[in-house]
Amino acid sequence: SRYEKALAHPDSPIDVAGVELTDLFHEPVYQLVRQQLLAAELERDGEVKADRVTVVHVLSPDNEAYQRSYVAPALRGRGDTASEVWSSLLRTPDRFVSLDPVVFLDPAITSDEYVLRYGASDG
């Protein structure tokens, strides 16, 4: 019930037509729902002074476990992966970006310490 009003809002970033709301409350979709609703609220909040708020989802393209993670069976018809299912639910796809974490290893924007800590290892 916490998110029902926000999801039913005419300007909701998530298209819930034909979707049982309980199907949205399983990981990883649940966290994406929460983040996208927060982004939409921040855009509507005049005190925030943001014309556009985009959710940036940092996800390795090699993370097959994420892509195969549980998605409610009723939503599986929307795509073969968690990302495809999520994309099918977005009314405002320009407010969501999936970003490969490898970009953070670029020495132009990242410290050597970060690269040593999170960069690819040989073992």
Side-chain angles (χ1 to χ4, degrees), residues 51 59 71 94 103:
D51 295 328
L59 175 67
V71 172
D94 63 325
V103 301

Side-chain angles (χ1 to χ4, degrees), residues 10-66:
D11 291 334
S12 172
I14 300 163
D15 182 3
V16 294
V19 173
E20 290 292 327
L21 295 186
T22 55
D23 290 335
L24 300 175
F25 302 132
H26 301 279
E27 301 296 350
V29 173
Y30 174 64
Q31 290 305 323
L32 297 171
V33 164
R34 293 177 66 237
Q35 292 166 6
Q36 207 68 52
L37 289 175
L38 175 59
E41 283 300 315
L42 291 171
E43 282 186 10
R44 286 193 278 271
D45 186 333
E47 292 184 28
V48 173
K49 296 183 172 71
D51 295 328
R52 177 174 292 203
V53 178
T54 301
V55 173
V56 178
H57 187 224
V58 180
L59 175 67
S60 170
D62 298 328
N63 190 339
E64 291 183 30
Y66 171 84

Side-chain angles (χ1 to χ4, degrees), residues 10 16 42 45-46 51 62 68 72 74 79 101 109 111-112 115 118:
V16 294
L42 291 171
D45 186 333
D51 295 328
D62 298 328
R68 290 188 317 267
I109 64 167
S111 70
D112 291 339
V115 173
Y118 298 108

Side-chain angles (χ1 to χ4, degrees), residues 57-120:
H57 187 224
V58 180
L59 175 67
S60 170
D62 298 328
N63 190 339
E64 291 183 30
Y66 171 84
Q67 296 298 354
R68 290 188 317 267
S69 60
Y70 179 80
V71 172
L75 297 178
R76 274 291 174 198
R78 293 173 164 263
D80 294 329
T81 65
S83 291
E84 288 175 3
V85 170
W86 177 243
S87 292
S88 78
L89 293 166
L90 292 174
R91 280 191 179 141
T92 53
D94 63 325
R95 302 300 203 279
F96 182 85
V97 176
S98 191
L99 186 64
D100 186 333
V102 74
V103 301
F104 296 113
L105 299 178
D106 180 346
I109 64 167
T110 306
S111 70
D112 291 339
E113 178 185 355
Y114 184 92
V115 173
L116 284 171
R117 181 177 232 177
Y118 298 108

